[in-house]
Amino acid sequence: MPSTTEIRTKPLKSRTRRTILKAGGTLLVSVLTPMPALASQLLAVRVWPSEDYTRVTLENDSNLKVSHFIVKNPERLVVDIEGIDLNSTIKDLVAKIQPNDPYIKQVRVGQNRPSVVRLVFDLKEEIKPQVFTLEPIGDYKYRFVIDLYPAAPADPIAALIQKGNWPKDLPAEAPPALAEAKPDNKAAAAEDDTPVAKATPANEPKLQLTRMITIALDPGHGGEDPGAIGARGNREKDVVLSIAKRLKKKIEEQPNMRVMLTRDADFFVPLGMRVQKARKVQADLFVSIHADAFVQPTARGSSVFALSEKGASSTAARWLANKENSADMIGGVNIKTHDRQLASVLLDLSTTAQINDSLRVGKAVLNEIGGINKLHRGAVEQAGFAVLKAPDIPSILIETAFISNPEEEAKLTDNNYQDNMADAIMTGIKKYFAKNPPLAKNKLT
């Protein structure tokens, strides 16, 4: 017969085991039961209006699940964003829509249902939206992008003609696009390798042309892509747009030239689209304007680049081309449409003739800008810049100075320097066309 001690011990051990099992079960339940999901944090909202399209960007700390649909009569775009709650950041979007936005009248925001925020864009006209997400890159986290394109975009050639001034002395029976170009014989007699002195009003080349020359100016970066940023906080995208606008005005003063900007405000244009714009207006010359940057603030000087078929002319040129070609990732492109652009534009094979013409105009411009700033290199460099790959248009990329150099950053923001740079580029362009007049075109431009 068991002792009293043994009888009392067994219930104690049994109760201990039950307590341990119960505690273990509680721990198991707490591990398997999901914790309430934390709402994603909206970091910023940005709006980039332009005549081409309006972009709305929502930056978030995680990838957002989004759906959208169009409502007719009146035109509205409805966007539902899952996993976020209405907060002051997204409410700021309402105030960011400006009255002069080409496509958005206003936007309304609200909590559609728990953890789902709804945006309703009241539109000024029918649009074709592109809605996509971007992975983190550079200083950006996840971005959700809404691009509002017009359903019926304007004809770029008609818009160019409407904005430009046609020369009054052209004969009516000879449309500018079909008339023959007449070179300046004195200029044509000069050797291409002869150094060109900075032009003055007395010796400035005179173009004798009877058809319009169309020039596409391409201010680099824009919108989500600021480009390089100087020590004082000046952004490349702002500086080059200012220089391009000054140059545009000088080109418009020429009786035989007209000009198109790939962007005329602070918005992003994908690299392939920049090339497409130039080709749609049948440009005779494509000039991309940038401000250089390097890891060392001592780097300085202006440069001119042309495309290369066989690789970069230097390690620095290759590095710069890779940096500039990454603009699409930073600025943000819709991969689905970007692939089609690459297929139709960037993968076209550029001809040897196009590159030779690019080198000629590059040299003419380099000689002129060397008169107002130290040259980083004494010759036109070459590399695989995606933006220079129009197979039928001479194309150059100008690095106006190093924004990463404190002294040159100050120059780039100086009105006189910007104007002198525009003058130098203008003179170089005129000297190039005086020696290499464009041929008559088969189609009206």
Side-chain angles (χ1 to χ4, degrees):
M1 186 174 179
S3 66
T4 304
T5 304
E6 289 175 332
I7 292 173
R8 289 176 179 174
T9 301
K10 287 181 180 179
L12 287 173
K13 290 180 179 180
S14 179
R15 283 198 299 272
T16 301
R17 281 196 296 272
R18 284 199 298 271
T19 302
I20 292 171
L21 288 171
K22 187 176 181 180
T26 302
L27 179 63
L28 183 64
V29 169
S30 67
V31 171
L32 296 179
T33 303
M35 298 294 290
L38 296 174
S40 297
Q41 183 65 38
L42 193 65
L43 304 175
V45 293
R46 295 181 290 273
V47 181
W48 309 99
S50 72
E51 289 186 9
D52 288 13
Y53 73 108
T54 290
R55 167 169 289 189
V56 178
T57 304
L58 285 75
E59 189 175 357
N60 205 63
D61 64 355
S62 61
N63 211 348
L64 297 173
K65 184 178 180 182
V66 182
S67 59
H68 71 282
F69 56 93
I70 294 285
V71 180
K72 311 295 286 185
N73 300 320
E75 296 286 333
R76 284 155 289 165
L77 172 67
V78 180
V79 179
D80 287 337
I81 309 171
E82 298 184 23
I84 66 172
D85 293 320
L86 193 63
N87 59 21
S88 59
T89 303
I90 200 163
K91 288 179 180 177
D92 287 344
L93 181 59
V94 175
K96 289 181 181 289
I97 304 301
Q98 299 300 312
N100 61 349
D101 189 297
Y103 304 108
I104 304 175
K105 286 183 183 176
Q106 64 177 2
V107 62
R108 292 170 280 146
V109 302
Q111 195 77 46
N112 182 253
R113 54 187 185 274
S115 297
V116 177
V117 168
R118 171 164 287 185
L119 311 178
V120 179
F121 294 91
D122 295 316
L123 304 170
K124 294 181 178 178
E125 63 177 74
E126 184 181 358
I127 57 95
K128 288 186 177 179
Q130 291 187 15
V131 179
F132 56 98
T133 57
L134 298 169
E135 295 293 316
I137 185 171
D139 295 331
Y140 290 123
K141 302 296 183 183
Y142 291 91
R143 285 176 289 168
F144 167 62
V145 179
I146 306 166
D147 285 347
L148 307 177
Y149 286 90
D155 182 336
I157 294 181
L160 184 64
I161 293 173
Q162 184 178 8
K163 291 180 180 179
N165 295 319
W166 292 85
K168 298 178 181 179
D169 56 348
L170 285 179
E173 66 275 9
L178 299 179
E180 289 187 7
K182 297 179 181 179
D184 184 332
N185 293 329
K186 292 181 180 179
E191 291 295 331
D192 281 351
D193 293 334
T194 303
V196 182
K198 182 171 176 57
T200 63
N203 66 8
E204 190 172 295
K206 295 181 180 180
L207 294 173
Q208 298 178 6
L209 299 170
T210 55
R211 84 157 174 84
M212 297 293 286
I213 295 175
T214 303
I215 298 175
L217 295 184
D218 174 49
H221 310 281
E224 293 284 294
D225 177 18
I229 300 177
R232 299 179 185 178
N234 293 293
R235 303 176 300 187
E236 179 182 2
K237 68 174 183 177
D238 301 325
V239 168
V240 299
L241 180 59
S242 179
I243 294 174
K245 285 183 174 180
R246 291 173 187 269
L247 179 55
K248 175 178 181 287
K249 185 177 179 181
K250 295 178 188 300
I251 293 173
E252 288 172 337
E253 292 171 353
Q254 306 301 315
N256 60 303
M257 291 185 179
R258 62 188 180 196
V259 60
M260 179 271 291
L261 288 175
T262 59
R263 70 176 181 95
D264 58 3
D266 187 11
F267 62 97
F268 180 71
V269 182
L271 298 176
M273 185 62 68
R274 296 170 190 258
V275 178
Q276 276 190 341
K277 283 188 168 190
R279 298 185 78 189
K280 282 181 178 178
V281 298
Q282 299 181 34
D284 297 292
L285 176 64
F286 180 91
V287 180
S288 192
I289 301 175
H290 291 256
D292 214 338
F294 194 61
V295 292
Q296 299 295 333
T298 52
R300 63 182 301 160
S302 302
S303 306
V304 177
F305 292 85
L307 186 66
S308 171
E309 284 184 304
K310 300 179 180 179
S313 56
S314 69
T315 302
R318 184 184 301 108
W319 179 86
L320 181 63
N322 291 337
K323 181 173 73 71
E324 297 295 0
N325 290 347
S326 68
D328 276 354
M329 292 185 290
I330 299 170
V333 295
N334 187 350
I335 296 299
K336 294 179 181 178
T337 60
H338 188 53
D339 288 344
R340 292 198 296 270
Q341 292 170 10
L342 284 173
S344 64
V345 178
L346 297 185
L347 297 186
D348 283 337
L349 293 177
S350 294
T351 64
T352 301
Q354 183 261 22
I355 292 178
N356 288 339
D357 285 340
S358 301
L359 290 170
R360 289 190 187 99
V361 67
K363 182 176 181 180
V365 170
L366 189 72
N367 285 339
E368 297 304 318
I369 64 178
I372 65 166
N373 192 36
K374 175 184 173 66
L375 295 179
H376 187 65
R377 301 275 181 177
V380 178
E381 294 199 80
Q382 294 180 261
F385 292 91
V387 79
L388 301 182
K389 290 187 177 181
D392 46 2
I393 306 173
S395 304
I396 59 172
L397 185 147
I398 302 171
E399 295 286 358
T400 51
F402 275 82
I403 200 169
S404 55
N405 180 299
E407 291 181 10
E408 295 205 334
E409 180 185 6
K411 281 185 177 182
L412 286 168
T413 56
D414 179 74
N415 289 332
N416 288 334
Y417 182 82
Q418 289 188 3
D419 207 53
N420 289 337
M421 178 60 67
D423 274 332
I425 298 171
M426 180 75 260
T427 302
I429 290 172
K430 290 177 69 176
K431 288 189 174 182
Y432 165 75
F433 280 116
K435 295 180 182 180
N436 305 275
L439 300 176
K441 294 183 178 178
N442 293 324
K443 296 181 181 179
L444 283 172
T445 57

mmCIF file of all heavy atoms in Angstrom, residues 163-199:
data_model
loop_
_atom_site.group_PDB
_atom_site.id
_atom_site.type_symbol
_atom_site.label_atom_id
_atom_site.label_comp_id
_atom_site.label_asym_id
_atom_site.label_seq_id
_atom_site.Cartn_x
_atom_site.Cartn_y
_atom_site.Cartn_z
ATOM 1 N N LYS A 163 3.804 77.862 -83.155
ATOM 2 C CA LYS A 163 4.590 78.633 -82.194
ATOM 3 C C LYS A 163 5.703 79.425 -82.859
ATOM 4 O O LYS A 163 6.135 80.451 -82.357
ATOM 5 C CB LYS A 163 5.197 77.693 -81.141
ATOM 6 C CG LYS A 163 4.175 77.091 -80.201
ATOM 7 C CD LYS A 163 4.837 76.167 -79.192
ATOM 8 C CE LYS A 163 3.818 75.552 -78.252
ATOM 9 N NZ LYS A 163 4.446 74.628 -77.282
ATOM 10 N N GLY A 164 6.208 78.922 -84.005
ATOM 11 C CA GLY A 164 7.370 79.550 -84.620
ATOM 12 C C GLY A 164 6.989 80.679 -85.555
ATOM 13 O O GLY A 164 5.825 80.898 -85.879
ATOM 14 N N ASN A 165 7.999 81.426 -85.989
ATOM 15 C CA ASN A 165 7.815 82.519 -86.945
ATOM 16 C C ASN A 165 8.446 82.127 -88.273
ATOM 17 O O ASN A 165 9.639 81.860 -88.341
ATOM 18 C CB ASN A 165 8.461 83.806 -86.425
ATOM 19 C CG ASN A 165 7.778 84.308 -85.166
ATOM 20 O OD1 ASN A 165 6.563 84.266 -85.070
ATOM 21 N ND2 ASN A 165 8.564 84.778 -84.222
ATOM 22 N N TRP A 166 7.651 82.104 -89.335
ATOM 23 C CA TRP A 166 8.188 81.804 -90.649
ATOM 24 C C TRP A 166 8.808 83.056 -91.251
ATOM 25 O O TRP A 166 8.309 84.160 -91.055
ATOM 26 C CB TRP A 166 7.066 81.311 -91.569
ATOM 27 C CG TRP A 166 6.534 79.998 -91.168
ATOM 28 C CD1 TRP A 166 5.568 79.756 -90.243
ATOM 29 C CD2 TRP A 166 6.948 78.730 -91.640
ATOM 30 N NE1 TRP A 166 5.340 78.413 -90.117
ATOM 31 C CE2 TRP A 166 6.169 77.761 -90.966
ATOM 32 C CE3 TRP A 166 7.889 78.295 -92.580
ATOM 33 C CZ2 TRP A 166 6.318 76.393 -91.198
ATOM 34 C CZ3 TRP A 166 8.021 76.941 -92.811
ATOM 35 C CH2 TRP A 166 7.251 76.008 -92.122
ATOM 36 N N PRO A 167 9.885 82.911 -92.005
ATOM 37 C CA PRO A 167 10.483 84.082 -92.643
ATOM 38 C C PRO A 167 9.528 84.700 -93.644
ATOM 39 O O PRO A 167 8.850 84.006 -94.382
ATOM 40 C CB PRO A 167 11.732 83.515 -93.333
ATOM 41 C CG PRO A 167 11.463 82.050 -93.476
ATOM 42 C CD PRO A 167 10.597 81.665 -92.315
ATOM 43 N N LYS A 168 9.463 86.026 -93.644
ATOM 44 C CA LYS A 168 8.489 86.726 -94.483
ATOM 45 C C LYS A 168 8.946 86.833 -95.937
ATOM 46 O O LYS A 168 8.153 87.125 -96.819
ATOM 47 C CB LYS A 168 8.240 88.117 -93.907
ATOM 48 C CG LYS A 168 7.638 88.078 -92.507
ATOM 49 C CD LYS A 168 7.448 89.488 -91.956
ATOM 50 C CE LYS A 168 6.870 89.438 -90.548
ATOM 51 N NZ LYS A 168 6.693 90.787 -89.968
ATOM 52 N N ASP A 169 10.244 86.633 -96.192
ATOM 53 C CA ASP A 169 10.744 86.878 -97.540
ATOM 54 C C ASP A 169 10.831 85.626 -98.394
ATOM 55 O O ASP A 169 11.408 85.633 -99.467
ATOM 56 C CB ASP A 169 12.126 87.548 -97.471
ATOM 57 C CG ASP A 169 13.117 86.723 -96.646
ATOM 58 O OD1 ASP A 169 12.665 85.786 -95.963
ATOM 59 O OD2 ASP A 169 14.319 87.043 -96.694
ATOM 60 N N LEU A 170 10.276 84.499 -97.931
ATOM 61 C CA LEU A 170 10.314 83.277 -98.735
ATOM 62 C C LEU A 170 9.272 83.359 -99.844
ATOM 63 O O LEU A 170 8.152 83.819 -99.627
ATOM 64 C CB LEU A 170 10.024 82.052 -97.870
ATOM 65 C CG LEU A 170 11.158 81.597 -96.962
ATOM 66 C CD1 LEU A 170 10.710 80.407 -96.150
ATOM 67 C CD2 LEU A 170 12.402 81.270 -97.750
ATOM 68 N N PRO A 171 9.600 82.913 -101.048
ATOM 69 C CA PRO A 171 8.611 82.929 -102.117
ATOM 70 C C PRO A 171 7.475 81.958 -101.825
ATOM 71 O O PRO A 171 7.697 80.875 -101.301
ATOM 72 C CB PRO A 171 9.416 82.490 -103.352
ATOM 73 C CG PRO A 171 10.590 81.752 -102.803
ATOM 74 C CD PRO A 171 10.906 82.396 -101.487
ATOM 75 N N ALA A 172 6.277 82.348 -102.170
ATOM 76 C CA ALA A 172 5.101 81.536 -101.847
ATOM 77 C C ALA A 172 5.138 80.190 -102.556
ATOM 78 O O ALA A 172 4.642 79.191 -102.061
ATOM 79 C CB ALA A 172 3.836 82.298 -102.234
ATOM 80 N N GLU A 173 5.730 80.168 -103.790
ATOM 81 C CA GLU A 173 5.739 78.916 -104.549
ATOM 82 C C GLU A 173 6.804 77.946 -104.065
ATOM 83 O O GLU A 173 6.894 76.834 -104.544
ATOM 84 C CB GLU A 173 5.963 79.214 -106.046
ATOM 85 C CG GLU A 173 7.340 79.787 -106.395
ATOM 86 C CD GLU A 173 7.372 81.297 -106.225
ATOM 87 O OE1 GLU A 173 6.400 81.858 -105.684
ATOM 88 O OE2 GLU A 173 8.371 81.909 -106.653
ATOM 89 N N ALA A 174 7.653 78.349 -103.116
ATOM 90 C CA ALA A 174 8.706 77.456 -102.620
ATOM 91 C C ALA A 174 8.525 77.252 -101.125
ATOM 92 O O ALA A 174 9.020 78.023 -100.332
ATOM 93 C CB ALA A 174 10.080 78.051 -102.895
ATOM 94 N N PRO A 175 7.741 76.238 -100.728
ATOM 95 C CA PRO A 175 7.560 75.978 -99.297
ATOM 96 C C PRO A 175 8.899 75.771 -98.625
ATOM 97 O O PRO A 175 9.811 75.170 -99.209
ATOM 98 C CB PRO A 175 6.731 74.688 -99.281
ATOM 99 C CG PRO A 175 6.081 74.617 -100.627
ATOM 100 C CD PRO A 175 7.053 75.266 -101.568
ATOM 101 N N PRO A 176 9.080 76.262 -97.391
ATOM 102 C CA PRO A 176 10.370 76.188 -96.708
ATOM 103 C C PRO A 176 10.935 74.783 -96.659
ATOM 104 O O PRO A 176 12.129 74.600 -96.729
ATOM 105 C CB PRO A 176 10.038 76.707 -95.315
ATOM 106 C CG PRO A 176 8.863 77.598 -95.523
ATOM 107 C CD PRO A 176 8.076 76.983 -96.617
ATOM 108 N N ALA A 177 10.093 73.783 -96.540
ATOM 109 C CA ALA A 177 10.611 72.429 -96.401
ATOM 110 C C ALA A 177 11.111 71.850 -97.712
ATOM 111 O O ALA A 177 11.839 70.869 -97.723
ATOM 112 C CB ALA A 177 9.535 71.528 -95.827
ATOM 113 N N LEU A 178 10.692 72.450 -98.843
ATOM 114 C CA LEU A 178 11.065 71.872 -100.126
ATOM 115 C C LEU A 178 12.119 72.662 -100.872
ATOM 116 O O LEU A 178 12.740 72.156 -101.791
ATOM 117 C CB LEU A 178 9.817 71.762 -101.014
ATOM 118 C CG LEU A 178 8.696 70.863 -100.462
ATOM 119 C CD1 LEU A 178 7.518 70.873 -101.419
ATOM 120 C CD2 LEU A 178 9.207 69.449 -100.276
ATOM 121 N N ALA A 179 12.311 73.903 -100.481
ATOM 122 C CA ALA A 179 13.295 74.732 -101.173
ATOM 123 C C ALA A 179 14.696 74.245 -100.896
ATOM 124 O O ALA A 179 14.978 73.659 -99.870
ATOM 125 C CB ALA A 179 13.149 76.181 -100.718
ATOM 126 N N GLU A 180 15.606 74.500 -101.840
ATOM 127 C CA GLU A 180 16.971 74.046 -101.676
ATOM 128 C C GLU A 180 17.739 74.944 -100.727
ATOM 129 O O GLU A 180 17.475 76.129 -100.606
ATOM 130 C CB GLU A 180 17.681 74.030 -103.024
ATOM 131 C CG GLU A 180 17.190 72.922 -103.950
ATOM 132 C CD GLU A 180 18.049 72.844 -105.187
ATOM 133 O OE1 GLU A 180 19.079 73.545 -105.238
ATOM 134 O OE2 GLU A 180 17.700 72.093 -106.097
ATOM 135 N N ALA A 181 18.714 74.360 -100.025
ATOM 136 C CA ALA A 181 19.581 75.135 -99.150
ATOM 137 C C ALA A 181 20.786 75.619 -99.939
ATOM 138 O O ALA A 181 21.347 74.897 -100.746
ATOM 139 C CB ALA A 181 20.044 74.259 -97.991
ATOM 140 N N LYS A 182 21.155 76.871 -99.722
ATOM 141 C CA LYS A 182 22.308 77.445 -100.416
ATOM 142 C C LYS A 182 23.409 77.725 -99.416
ATOM 143 O O LYS A 182 23.248 78.543 -98.523
ATOM 144 C CB LYS A 182 21.893 78.730 -101.109
ATOM 145 C CG LYS A 182 20.840 78.520 -102.190
ATOM 146 C CD LYS A 182 20.444 79.842 -102.840
ATOM 147 C CE LYS A 182 19.376 79.612 -103.903
ATOM 148 N NZ LYS A 182 18.963 80.892 -104.518
ATOM 149 N N PRO A 183 24.532 77.037 -99.508
ATOM 150 C CA PRO A 183 25.591 77.232 -98.527
ATOM 151 C C PRO A 183 26.283 78.570 -98.718
ATOM 152 O O PRO A 183 26.283 79.155 -99.798
ATOM 153 C CB PRO A 183 26.552 76.070 -98.813
ATOM 154 C CG PRO A 183 26.326 75.770 -100.267
ATOM 155 C CD PRO A 183 24.879 76.033 -100.536
ATOM 156 N N ASP A 184 26.902 79.020 -97.633
ATOM 157 C CA ASP A 184 27.777 80.184 -97.676
ATOM 158 C C ASP A 184 29.096 79.715 -98.275
ATOM 159 O O ASP A 184 29.831 78.947 -97.677
ATOM 160 C CB ASP A 184 27.969 80.717 -96.248
ATOM 161 C CG ASP A 184 28.794 81.996 -96.231
ATOM 162 O OD1 ASP A 184 29.618 82.171 -97.134
ATOM 163 O OD2 ASP A 184 28.594 82.797 -95.302
ATOM 164 N N ASN A 185 29.406 80.148 -99.502
ATOM 165 C CA ASN A 185 30.585 79.646 -100.208
ATOM 166 C C ASN A 185 31.878 79.931 -99.463
ATOM 167 O O ASN A 185 32.801 79.136 -99.439
ATOM 168 C CB ASN A 185 30.643 80.247 -101.617
ATOM 169 C CG ASN A 185 29.501 79.741 -102.493
ATOM 170 O OD1 ASN A 185 29.058 78.616 -102.313
ATOM 171 N ND2 ASN A 185 29.033 80.586 -103.413
ATOM 172 N N LYS A 186 31.964 81.110 -98.849
ATOM 173 C CA LYS A 186 33.180 81.459 -98.110
ATOM 174 C C LYS A 186 33.357 80.533 -96.917
ATOM 175 O O LYS A 186 34.453 80.078 -96.633
ATOM 176 C CB LYS A 186 33.102 82.906 -97.640
ATOM 177 C CG LYS A 186 33.162 83.917 -98.782
ATOM 178 C CD LYS A 186 33.116 85.344 -98.242
ATOM 179 C CE LYS A 186 33.177 86.356 -99.379
ATOM 180 N NZ LYS A 186 33.115 87.742 -98.859
ATOM 181 N N ALA A 187 32.260 80.272 -96.230
ATOM 182 C CA ALA A 187 32.367 79.390 -95.076
ATOM 183 C C ALA A 187 32.672 77.979 -95.516
ATOM 184 O O ALA A 187 33.443 77.263 -94.882
ATOM 185 C CB ALA A 187 31.067 79.432 -94.277
ATOM 186 N N ALA A 188 32.071 77.561 -96.646
ATOM 187 C CA ALA A 188 32.285 76.187 -97.095
ATOM 188 C C ALA A 188 33.710 75.967 -97.530
ATOM 189 O O ALA A 188 34.221 74.852 -97.488
ATOM 190 C CB ALA A 188 31.334 75.877 -98.248
ATOM 191 N N ALA A 189 34.387 77.020 -97.942
ATOM 192 C CA ALA A 189 35.769 76.876 -98.398
ATOM 193 C C ALA A 189 36.729 76.652 -97.247
ATOM 194 O O ALA A 189 37.838 76.168 -97.441
ATOM 195 C CB ALA A 189 36.184 78.130 -99.163
ATOM 196 N N ALA A 190 36.317 76.988 -96.048
ATOM 197 C CA ALA A 190 37.206 76.827 -94.889
ATOM 198 C C ALA A 190 37.377 75.343 -94.582
ATOM 199 O O ALA A 190 36.480 74.543 -94.770
ATOM 200 C CB ALA A 190 36.623 77.548 -93.683
ATOM 201 N N GLU A 191 38.552 74.980 -94.113
ATOM 202 C CA GLU A 191 38.807 73.601 -93.742
ATOM 203 C C GLU A 191 38.145 73.301 -92.402
ATOM 204 O O GLU A 191 38.127 74.129 -91.510
ATOM 205 C CB GLU A 191 40.320 73.364 -93.607
ATOM 206 C CG GLU A 191 41.072 73.427 -94.918
ATOM 207 C CD GLU A 191 40.680 72.310 -95.867
ATOM 208 O OE1 GLU A 191 40.291 71.250 -95.376
ATOM 209 O OE2 GLU A 191 40.748 72.509 -97.083
ATOM 210 N N ASP A 192 37.604 72.070 -92.252
ATOM 211 C CA ASP A 192 36.949 71.676 -91.017
ATOM 212 C C ASP A 192 37.893 71.701 -89.833
ATOM 213 O O ASP A 192 37.483 71.917 -88.704
ATOM 214 C CB ASP A 192 36.360 70.263 -91.155
ATOM 215 C CG ASP A 192 35.047 70.294 -91.921
ATOM 216 O OD1 ASP A 192 34.547 71.408 -92.160
ATOM 217 O OD2 ASP A 192 34.556 69.215 -92.283
ATOM 218 N N ASP A 193 39.194 71.445 -90.098
ATOM 219 C CA ASP A 193 40.138 71.352 -88.994
ATOM 220 C C ASP A 193 40.701 72.699 -88.573
ATOM 221 O O ASP A 193 41.504 72.772 -87.644
ATOM 222 C CB ASP A 193 41.316 70.430 -89.371
ATOM 223 C CG ASP A 193 40.856 68.993 -89.528
ATOM 224 O OD1 ASP A 193 39.838 68.639 -88.892
ATOM 225 O OD2 ASP A 193 41.505 68.248 -90.274
ATOM 226 N N THR A 194 40.316 73.767 -89.243
ATOM 227 C CA THR A 194 40.847 75.083 -88.892
ATOM 228 C C THR A 194 40.187 75.577 -87.619
ATOM 229 O O THR A 194 38.977 75.602 -87.515
ATOM 230 C CB THR A 194 40.567 76.090 -90.022
ATOM 231 O OG1 THR A 194 41.127 75.585 -91.221
ATOM 232 C CG2 THR A 194 41.157 77.444 -89.681
ATOM 233 N N PRO A 195 40.966 75.958 -86.589
ATOM 234 C CA PRO A 195 40.360 76.478 -85.363
ATOM 235 C C PRO A 195 39.511 77.697 -85.681
ATOM 236 O O PRO A 195 39.874 78.535 -86.502
ATOM 237 C CB PRO A 195 41.568 76.848 -84.492
ATOM 238 C CG PRO A 195 42.705 76.051 -85.056
ATOM 239 C CD PRO A 195 42.437 75.917 -86.515
ATOM 240 N N VAL A 196 38.371 77.774 -85.006
ATOM 241 C CA VAL A 196 37.445 78.874 -85.255
ATOM 242 C C VAL A 196 37.501 79.843 -84.097
ATOM 243 O O VAL A 196 37.319 79.458 -82.943
ATOM 244 C CB VAL A 196 36.004 78.334 -85.415
ATOM 245 C CG1 VAL A 196 35.044 79.471 -85.734
ATOM 246 C CG2 VAL A 196 35.958 77.286 -86.525
ATOM 247 N N ALA A 197 37.761 81.112 -84.383
ATOM 248 C CA ALA A 197 37.796 82.116 -83.329
ATOM 249 C C ALA A 197 36.384 82.446 -82.910
ATOM 250 O O ALA A 197 35.435 82.256 -83.657
ATOM 251 C CB ALA A 197 38.497 83.372 -83.832
ATOM 252 N N LYS A 198 36.217 82.955 -81.701
ATOM 253 C CA LYS A 198 34.905 83.331 -81.206
ATOM 254 C C LYS A 198 34.324 84.419 -82.097
ATOM 255 O O LYS A 198 34.974 85.400 -82.400
ATOM 256 C CB LYS A 198 34.984 83.804 -79.756
ATOM 257 C CG LYS A 198 33.611 84.155 -79.190
ATOM 258 C CD LYS A 198 33.684 84.407 -77.715
ATOM 259 C CE LYS A 198 32.329 84.843 -77.167
ATOM 260 N NZ LYS A 198 31.281 83.887 -77.438
ATOM 261 N N ALA A 199 33.067 84.194 -82.504
ATOM 262 C CA ALA A 199 32.450 85.105 -83.462
ATOM 263 C C ALA A 199 32.116 86.441 -82.826
ATOM 264 O O ALA A 199 31.790 86.519 -81.647
ATOM 265 C CB ALA A 199 31.177 84.482 -84.023
#
